[in-house]
């Protein structure tokens, strides 16, 4: 079943750390560096942020529950609202519950591998804020982000991981 | 959440044999309802915001329920039919999905084009998409020609390439295949099919285009947050994706900068008018120059002892014009300062006008040649009839036996006259490249086939030298050169979209014109397009750099299609003219001996079809019937035009409404504080706090 497969994947990341038997609900957490090297996440520019957003301590150490949560939110079956919540968390680099201009700049530079000039980056970030910011505070709150992402036609198909 | 279970799970197993006998109507209906509810739950379970564990347990439960009781519904035949229907539906959906995947996988070169698109932008990719479409169309045309004309003829002695080779027997072979008729119909059908395909593509494209995403609501925000595909796990795919995202951002930035430009309208307009005046002057100048040179060459034709320059003057002048004018137009266009997408269209239009002028000269020269050959043919026809009479006369004279009749000789075998159609066919296969497109040879070298073959050679050479050699020199000489070759002059070449598109379009025009006279031409073109695709893809990826201002191609390819349509009409005209009015060659081809090529159809109608069809056709050809039909079509076009205008208008109204709604919502959210403040100030003046004094307590008594 799906759960067994996930457990198998979790186990093979660190076979000596992860027990095969989870009936006693052991408290095992795997560090960021191990998770981020999984083939599904290796090429993703946001892999660090993804793992950090699902970890309880915010440092990227995932227990098995967090691991399952991560793949379930990013799977086909998760509802849009849930995905929007986590997407907001992922793109909020400084975790201040707002996507401000610096967060946008970091996102853009990761997406383009810093190929754009700084004027271009500036223009894009300003335009993005202008488009989505509804309450006029020059940064995106969750309400702004959710309003924008709920209308995006590609969001569900791109924010999707398969395991 | 609890769902009322009609049969509790504990005695469902023991009761299953008794179910079939004891189920009444009401119970069946309730059961069906249950099953439907469970099915709905299964399909909606992903939308429920539950934790994973809870979702999994409910899913398992529901699935078990459905599996157990779905089969129980309906008795006997009913049940089997139901199960069968469900299975077929599932199979059908799966088949449809597989077929869609298969169709998408069948589209050739999709990955190659996506790679070019991710590095060079959608405008360069649009050229390759156009090239692929042309390849498809030519393949179909080749299928027609090959299947219906070449194969029935069957001989391999002479080249099946040319018109003159085909036999003029009315029917050939045991099946009485009417070759001349088929030849004519295939020729006409080629044009008809091309016309239909071009117009259908244009109509399809214009559906997609229009408003949906060009002025999108959240262009940049969406690009930022939804462009990376999280499913990518392959390093090479990731590289392509990074390049394509960067290119896509650059394209949107160009579009945005255009919107933000501050402009002095009057200065802009003046500069644009000035630029157009300059361009018209240069077009006029080039037209006059060509005319002058062609007239001179006709004089030269009558003189002897010409130098190399005089002999080739026309070609040299035309090549020079083709080389010099396009860059000249581009420099003048800098004055206009258009968005790159619009500038590309203007550039295409102007080069098109330039080559149109050259085309005219070419056609004039060609018709001069044809007329000359017709005269020659007249004289040969007379000569061969004369020779035949002589032969018969000698035969009777020498045989001393008046009852013997001389063996019949087909006049066509006596002397082979100049088959003008073959000459024309040869001409159309030798198309010069786009730059040297209008090289008009005189005399015997007007040859279509030669044109096509030389075009292929010169195009490939141009790419090899212009792009590849240049790239190699820049790359390797850079180590030992004083200035930076890569950044300064000459640097790497950019892909010339307008030149290549026009080359493709003109080449197709030549093929259409010539395919009637050289049926194998379409085959050559198919091969040429195929090799072009691979060769140019390789050249672009290895020798070119992306444009400085990468721009998004317009949503529809309609501009290229429009050019193609125009060329189709232009190439249709000469062929129709020859079919209808010029007498076919006396000695060669499937129509020899007839007054006009068109007569084949008349013959078929007279001899093969029943009598009433003939009278029907003659009625249909009556002008009294044709003129009202034309009027009716004009009215229909007018009506459809106004209907589509009305739709456009209502579209725009709806868009405006949507925009207004969005702005209202933004304002509402923005101004909640300020409106509240205003309301706060006004609170004292609200009706329940009016300035009138409260009624006296003793007024009620």
């Amino acid at each position: 079943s799906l759960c067994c497969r996930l457990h198998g994947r979790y186990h093979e990341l660190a076979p000596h750390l992860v027990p095969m038997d989870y009936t006693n609900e052991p408290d095992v957490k795997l560090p960021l560096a191990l998770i981020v090297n999984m083939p599904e996440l290796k090429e993703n520019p946001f892999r660090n942020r993804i793992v950090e957003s699902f970890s309880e301590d915010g440092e990227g150490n995932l227990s098995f529950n967090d691991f399952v949560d991560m793949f379930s939110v990013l799977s086909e079956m998760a509802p849009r609202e849930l995905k929007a919540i986590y997407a907001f968390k992922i793109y909020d680099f400084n975790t201040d519950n707002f996507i401000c201009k610096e967060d946008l700049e970091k996102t853009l530079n990761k997406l383009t591998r810093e190929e754009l000039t700084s004027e271009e980056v500036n223009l894009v970030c300003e335009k993005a804020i202008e488009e989505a910011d509804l309450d006029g505070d020059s940064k995106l709150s969750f309400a702004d982000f959710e309003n924008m992402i709920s209308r995006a036609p590609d969001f569900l198909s791109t924010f999707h991981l398969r395991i | 959440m609890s769902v009322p279970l009609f049969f509790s799970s504990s005695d469902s197993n023991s009761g299953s044999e008794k179910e079939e006998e004891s189920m009444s109507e009401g119970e069946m209906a309730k059961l069906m309802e249950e099953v439907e509810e469970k099915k709905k739950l299964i399909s909606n379970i992903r939308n429920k915001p539950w934790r994973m564990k809870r979702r999994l347990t409910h899913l398992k439960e529901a699935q078990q329920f459905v599996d157990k009781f779905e089969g129980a519904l309906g008795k006997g035949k009913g049940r089997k039919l139901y199960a069968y229907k469900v299975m077929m539906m599932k199979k059908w959906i799966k088949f449809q999905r597989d077929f869609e995947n298969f169709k998408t996988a069948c589209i050739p070169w999709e990955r190659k084009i996506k790679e070019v698109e991710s590095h060079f932008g959608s405008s360069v990719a649009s050229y390759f998409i156009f090239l692929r479409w042309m390849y498809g169309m030519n393949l179909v045309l080749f299928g027609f020609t090959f299947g219906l004309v070449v194969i029935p003829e069957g001989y391999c002695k002479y080249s099946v390439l040319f018109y003159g080779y085909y036999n003029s027997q009315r029917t050939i072979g045991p099946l009485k295949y009417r070759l001349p008729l088929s030849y004519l119909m295939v020729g006409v059908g080629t044009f008809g099919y091309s016309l239909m395909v071009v117009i259908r593509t244009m109509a399809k494209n214009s559906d997609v285009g229009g408003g949906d995403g060009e002025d999108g609501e959240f262009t940049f925000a969406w690009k930022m947050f939804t462009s990376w595909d999280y499913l990518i796990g392959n390093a090479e795919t990731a590289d392509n994706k990074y390049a394509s995202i960067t290119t896509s951002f650059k394209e949107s930035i160009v579009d945005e900068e255009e919107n933000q430009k501050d402009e002095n309208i009057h200065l802009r307009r003046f500069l644009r008018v000035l630029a157009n005046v300059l361009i018209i002057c240069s077009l006029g100048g080039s037209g006059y120059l060509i005319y002058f040179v062609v007239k001179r060459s006709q004089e030269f034709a009558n003189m002897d002892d010409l130098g190399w320059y005089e002999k080739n003057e026309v070609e040299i002048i035309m090549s020079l014009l083709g080389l010099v004018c396009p860059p000249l137009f581009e420099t003048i266009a800098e004055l206009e300062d258009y968005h790159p997408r619009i500038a590309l269209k203007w550039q295409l239009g102007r080069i098109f006008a330039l080559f149109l002028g050259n085309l005219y000269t070419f056609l004039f020269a060609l018709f001069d040649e044809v007329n000359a050959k017709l005269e020659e043919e007249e004289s040969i026809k007379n000569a061969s009839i004369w020779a035949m009479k002589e032969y018969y006369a000698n035969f009777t004279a020498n045989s001393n036996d008046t009852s013997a009749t001389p063996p019949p000789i087909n006049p066509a075998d006596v002397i082979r006259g100049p088959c003008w159609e073959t000459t024309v066919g040869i001409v159309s296969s030798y198309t010069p490249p786009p730059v040297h497109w209008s090289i008009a040879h005189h005399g015997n070298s007007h040859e279509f086939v030669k044109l096509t073959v030389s075009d292929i050679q010169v195009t490939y050479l141009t790419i090899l030298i212009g792009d590849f050699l240049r790239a190699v020199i820049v790359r390797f000489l850079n180590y030992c050169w004083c200035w930076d070759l890569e950044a300064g002059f000459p640097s790497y070449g950019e892909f010339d979209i307008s030149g290549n598109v026009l080359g493709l379009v003109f080449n197709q025009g030549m093929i259409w014109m010539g395919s009637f006279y050289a049926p194998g031409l379409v085959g050559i073109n198919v091969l040429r397009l195929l090799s072009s695709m691979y060769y140019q893809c390789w050249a672009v990826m290895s020798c070119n750099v992306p444009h400085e201002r990468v721009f998004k191609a317009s949503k529809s390819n309609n501009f290229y299609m429009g050019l193609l349509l125009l060329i189709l009409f232009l190439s249709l005209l000469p062929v129709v003219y020859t079919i209808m009015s010029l007498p076919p060659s006396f000695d060669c081809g499937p129509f020899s001996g007839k007054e006009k090529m068109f007569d084949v159809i008349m013959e078929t109608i007279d001899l093969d079809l029943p009598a009433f069809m003939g009278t029907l056709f003659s009625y249909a050809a009556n002008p009294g019937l044709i003129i009202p039909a034309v009027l009716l079509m004009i009215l229909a076009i007018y009506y459809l035009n106004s209907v589509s205008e009305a739709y456009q208008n209502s579209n725009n109204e709806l868009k405006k409404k949507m925009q207004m709604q969005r702005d209202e919502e933004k304002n509402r959210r923005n101004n909640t504080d300020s409106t509240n403040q205003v309301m706060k100030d006004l609170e004292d003046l609200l009706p329940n706090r009016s300035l009138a004094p409260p009624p006296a307590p003793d007024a009620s008594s």
Side-chain angles (χ1 to χ4, degrees):
Chain A
S1 75
L2 184 64
C3 208
C4 286
R5 260 196 303 142
L6 278 173
H7 185 230
R9 295 299 302 273
Y10 192 67
H11 175 81
E12 72 190 22
L13 288 176
H16 49 286
L17 277 180
V18 175
M20 284 304 291
D21 181 3
Y22 252 75
T23 40
N24 301 330
E25 300 197 9
D27 180 25
V28 174
K29 290 196 185 202
L30 293 185
L32 178 88
L34 278 181
I35 315 272
V36 144
N37 279 326
M38 286 179 72
E40 288 85 357
L41 288 174
K42 207 168 37 139
E43 297 295 332
N44 196 317
F46 303 111
R47 51 189 181 272
N48 289 333
R49 279 303 305 153
I50 296 175
V51 179
E52 283 168 15
S53 316
F54 283 95
S55 65
E56 274 182 49
D57 54 7
E59 299 288 314
N61 301 308
L62 294 186
S63 69
F64 182 57
N65 275 336
D66 301 331
F67 187 77
V68 170
D69 252 342
M70 177 169 79
F71 279 103
S72 92
V73 168
L74 284 166
S75 76
E76 278 184 309
M77 307 205 302
R80 188 187 259 274
E81 299 76 16
L82 202 54
K83 288 195 187 218
I85 294 176
Y86 278 99
F88 184 74
K89 270 196 188 177
I90 289 174
Y91 295 119
D92 180 14
F93 279 77
N94 53 11
T95 52
D96 61 351
N97 281 331
F98 285 103
I99 296 186
C100 56
K101 193 162 172 206
E102 288 74 29
D103 293 330
L104 286 177
E105 281 175 6
K106 284 211 192 94
T107 310
L108 189 59
N109 280 326
K110 277 201 193 288
L111 273 178
T112 58
R113 288 204 283 206
E114 308 195 6
E115 291 266 333
L116 298 179
T117 68
S118 51
E119 295 95 24
E120 291 172 335
V121 169
N122 199 34
L123 175 68
V124 172
C125 295
E126 277 181 7
K127 274 301 291 183
I129 292 184
E130 187 192 311
E131 284 169 353
D133 186 21
L134 294 172
D135 48 19
D137 56 0
S138 314
K139 50 191 177 169
L140 304 183
S141 66
F142 177 65
D144 303 332
F145 181 80
E146 217 259 324
N147 175 52
M148 177 268 296
I149 212 83
S150 59
R151 293 167 215 250
D154 298 330
F155 177 58
L156 285 180
S157 53
T158 55
F159 198 69
H160 173 208
L161 263 186
R162 222 196 298 268
I163 187 164
Chain B
M1 170 179 134
S2 58
V3 175
L5 285 179
F6 199 68
F7 297 103
S8 69
S9 39
S10 52
D11 46 321
S12 57
N13 283 331
S14 53
S16 56
E17 293 99 51
K18 295 192 198 132
E19 277 165 33
E20 294 192 33
E21 302 123 30
S22 60
M23 271 211 271
S24 65
E25 278 294 319
E27 285 172 1
M28 266 245 296
K30 254 199 195 149
L31 184 57
M32 211 135 75
E33 223 178 279
E34 299 282 340
V35 171
E36 284 305 313
E37 222 180 288
K38 286 289 185 185
K39 273 204 196 149
K40 224 189 281 177
L41 176 67
I42 291 177
S43 55
N44 287 341
I45 204 158
R46 24 182 99 160
N47 296 343
K48 302 233 188 270
W50 295 337
R51 293 232 115 216
M52 199 61 176
K53 234 189 224 178
R54 191 176 175 203
R55 234 187 280 156
L56 283 176
T57 36
H58 274 102
L59 180 67
K60 237 188 257 182
E61 201 186 296
Q63 268 176 343
Q64 276 174 352
F65 186 86
V66 170
D67 284 337
K68 205 191 307 204
F69 291 109
E70 192 160 29
L73 286 172
K75 303 191 194 185
K77 282 190 284 192
R79 176 196 347 176
K80 284 214 191 90
L81 190 65
Y82 186 68
Y84 178 72
K85 265 203 291 202
V86 164
M87 187 191 71
M88 285 316 281
M89 179 87 335
K90 284 195 206 150
K91 284 220 164 115
W92 174 245
I93 292 177
K94 180 166 192 308
F95 171 74
Q96 273 184 326
R97 215 177 353 185
D98 285 338
F99 188 61
E100 282 302 319
N101 285 346
F102 173 70
K103 270 207 295 201
T104 322
C106 262
I107 299 178
W109 306 311
E110 186 69 13
R111 244 183 43 192
K112 231 190 254 289
I113 294 186
K114 277 251 145 24
E115 214 184 315
V116 170
E117 181 169 31
S118 60
H119 284 100
F120 289 89
S122 56
S123 46
V124 171
S126 72
Y127 165 74
F128 286 100
I129 293 176
F130 187 53
L131 178 61
R132 180 175 65 186
W133 182 87
M134 290 276 247
Y135 172 70
M137 182 180 72
N138 275 286
L139 208 56
V140 172
L141 290 179
F142 175 65
F144 277 163
T145 327
F146 197 70
L148 296 176
V149 175
V150 173
I151 289 188
E153 185 65 29
Y155 297 116
C156 289
K157 276 191 298 194
Y158 301 101
S159 163
V160 293
L161 217 48
F162 300 110
Y163 165 106
Y165 157 71
Y166 291 93
N167 210 313
S168 78
Q169 282 175 279
R170 215 180 142 257
T171 68
I172 59 172
L175 290 173
K176 298 231 184 304
Y177 187 75
R178 287 158 184 40
L179 189 69
L181 180 67
S182 131
Y183 194 96
L184 187 66
M185 295 317 273
V186 164
V188 169
T190 304
F191 284 105
Y193 173 75
S194 312
L195 193 60
M196 188 195 76
V197 149
V198 170
I199 297 217
R200 200 175 63 171
T201 313
M202 282 178 89
K204 219 185 331 179
N205 280 342
S206 65
D207 281 343
V208 169
D212 207 69
E214 281 211 354
D215 40 56
E217 202 181 331
F218 292 113
T219 324
F220 284 96
W222 283 346
K223 273 203 186 4
M224 193 95 79
F225 296 116
T226 63
S227 54
W228 182 265
D229 188 354
Y230 280 47
L231 280 173
I232 292 179
N234 177 338
E236 202 186 307
T237 320
D239 278 337
N240 271 347
K241 193 68 181 170
Y242 283 120
S244 116
I245 290 179
T246 311
T247 309
S248 157
F249 270 114
K250 288 201 177 149
E251 287 175 351
S252 296
I253 291 174
V254 165
D255 279 338
E256 184 57 33
E257 279 174 353
E258 279 297 318
N259 289 345
Q260 283 186 355
K261 244 196 313 210
D262 268 335
E263 63 202 33
N264 181 350
I265 294 218
H266 299 292
L267 183 64
R268 247 319 183 110
R269 274 203 204 134
F270 169 72
L271 284 177
R272 285 189 185 162
V273 166
L274 178 65
N276 278 312
V277 163
L278 283 174
I279 300 240
I280 292 182
C281 286
S282 33
L283 279 176
S286 110
Y288 178 68
L289 186 62
I290 292 176
Y291 177 76
F292 175 71
V293 165
V294 166
K295 280 287 174 237
R296 227 159 65 130
S297 77
Q298 282 173 348
E299 288 166 34
F300 283 155
N302 300 332
M303 292 178 356
D304 291 326
D305 192 22
L306 300 165
W308 172 84
Y309 175 74
E310 280 88 359
K311 275 199 231 168
N312 297 315
E313 190 179 28
V314 179
E315 291 89 327
I316 294 178
I317 295 291
M318 286 193 161
S319 318
L320 275 178
L321 278 175
L323 273 175
V324 160
C325 285
L328 178 68
F329 291 166
E330 257 182 56
T331 342
I332 297 182
E334 307 248 327
L335 277 177
E336 294 180 325
D337 198 20
Y338 277 125
H339 186 288
R341 185 163 52 235
I342 303 183
L344 175 66
K345 288 193 183 168
W346 278 98
Q347 177 74 354
L348 275 172
R350 285 166 184 158
I351 302 186
F352 189 77
L354 175 72
F355 285 134
L356 216 57
N358 296 346
L359 168 66
Y360 265 109
T361 337
F362 178 77
L363 281 181
F364 280 144
L366 199 64
F367 273 129
D368 263 351
E369 166 97 357
V370 165
N371 282 334
K373 286 233 153 66
L374 276 176
E375 282 170 17
E376 208 183 318
E377 195 176 276
E378 266 306 306
S379 63
I380 293 207
K381 180 170 159 182
N382 291 337
S384 59
I385 291 183
W386 177 255
M388 223 170 66
K389 289 205 169 90
E390 289 236 350
Y391 174 72
Y392 289 156
N394 286 342
F395 192 88
T396 5
N398 290 340
S399 69
N400 293 333
D401 178 2
T402 44
S403 59
T405 46
I409 314 175
N410 194 330
D413 287 335
V414 175
I415 301 177
R416 203 93 189 156
C419 195
W420 65 267
E421 289 96 341
T422 301
T423 315
V424 170
I426 296 178
V427 166
S428 62
S429 2
Y430 233 139
T431 322
V435 172
H436 304 279
W437 189 83
S438 46
I439 292 180
H441 295 251
H442 306 286
N444 292 324
S445 48
H446 286 278
E447 289 150 334
F448 271 123
V449 168
K450 271 210 320 227
L451 285 167
T452 305
V453 173
S454 95
D455 176 24
I456 300 175
Q457 292 167 353
V458 183
T459 317
Y460 288 15
L461 271 172
T462 319
I463 295 184
L464 210 56
I465 297 178
D467 284 333
F468 185 62
L469 216 59
R470 173 175 169 183
V472 163
I473 290 178
V474 167
R475 183 50 121 31
F476 292 116
L477 226 54
N478 208 14
Y479 294 128
C480 50
W481 203 259
C482 14
W483 73 82
D484 187 358
L485 285 172
E486 282 185 1
F489 178 84
S491 89
Y492 299 106
E494 289 179 352
F495 186 76
D496 178 17
I497 303 178
S498 51
N500 277 299
V501 166
L502 280 180
L504 209 56
V505 164
F506 280 127
N507 172 64
Q508 190 61 36
M510 276 307 221
I511 299 293
W512 274 323
M513 242 198 290
S515 66
F516 188 71
Y517 303 107
L521 197 58
V522 186
I524 296 184
N525 200 36
V526 165
L527 289 174
R528 172 230 156 84
L529 286 175
L530 188 63
S531 52
S532 223
M533 176 56 111
Y534 288 109
Y535 186 60
Q536 285 191 300
C537 268
W538 166 81
V540 123
M541 291 300 288
S542 55
C543 320
N544 289 111
V545 286
H547 291 228
E548 259 199 52
R549 303 175 79 202
V550 180
F551 59 95
K552 218 185 318 205
S554 53
K555 278 259 173 229
S556 58
N557 242 353
N558 268 358
F559 190 66
Y560 299 163
M561 289 296 161
L563 281 181
L564 199 62
L565 195 64
L566 190 59
I567 289 274
L568 176 58
F569 275 123
L570 287 179
S571 51
L572 183 63
L573 291 176
V575 177
V576 167
Y577 176 71
T578 45
I579 292 182
M580 296 299 187
S581 13
L582 279 192
S585 212
F586 177 64
D587 298 335
C588 61
F591 307 114
S592 65
K594 304 207 176 27
E595 274 292 315
K596 300 202 177 15
M597 297 190 192
F598 187 67
D599 288 342
V600 161
I601 298 191
M602 311 301 288
E603 226 179 67
T604 314
I605 296 179
D606 286 334
L607 298 180
D608 289 333
L609 301 173
F612 76 90
M613 299 281 286
T615 38
L616 202 71
F617 276 123
S618 63
Y619 283 147
N622 190 348
L625 207 63
I626 292 198
I627 294 186
V630 168
L631 273 178
L632 196 65
M633 281 195 277
I634 293 180
L635 285 175
I637 292 178
Y638 176 70
Y639 169 71
L640 289 171
N641 202 27
S642 31
V643 165
S644 93
E645 255 179 45
Y647 280 139
Q648 282 275 68
N649 280 343
S650 74
N651 236 3
N652 289 339
E653 289 294 311
L654 285 171
K655 260 191 252 179
K656 263 190 245 170
K657 260 197 215 158
M658 269 173 44
Q659 185 66 34
M660 259 174 27
Q661 245 185 3
R662 273 184 245 142
D663 288 341
E664 246 178 60
E665 202 176 302
K666 249 197 201 171
N667 283 336
R668 188 169 52 86
R669 295 218 200 183
N670 265 343
N671 297 339
T672 27
D673 286 342
S674 48
T675 16
N676 275 345
Q677 191 56 38
V678 170
M679 287 308 281
K680 270 196 212 128
D681 289 341
L682 286 177
E683 250 183 15
D684 296 334
L685 293 175
L686 286 175
N688 56 357
R689 302 246 200 107
S690 69
L691 296 172
D698 53 348
S700 55
S701 56

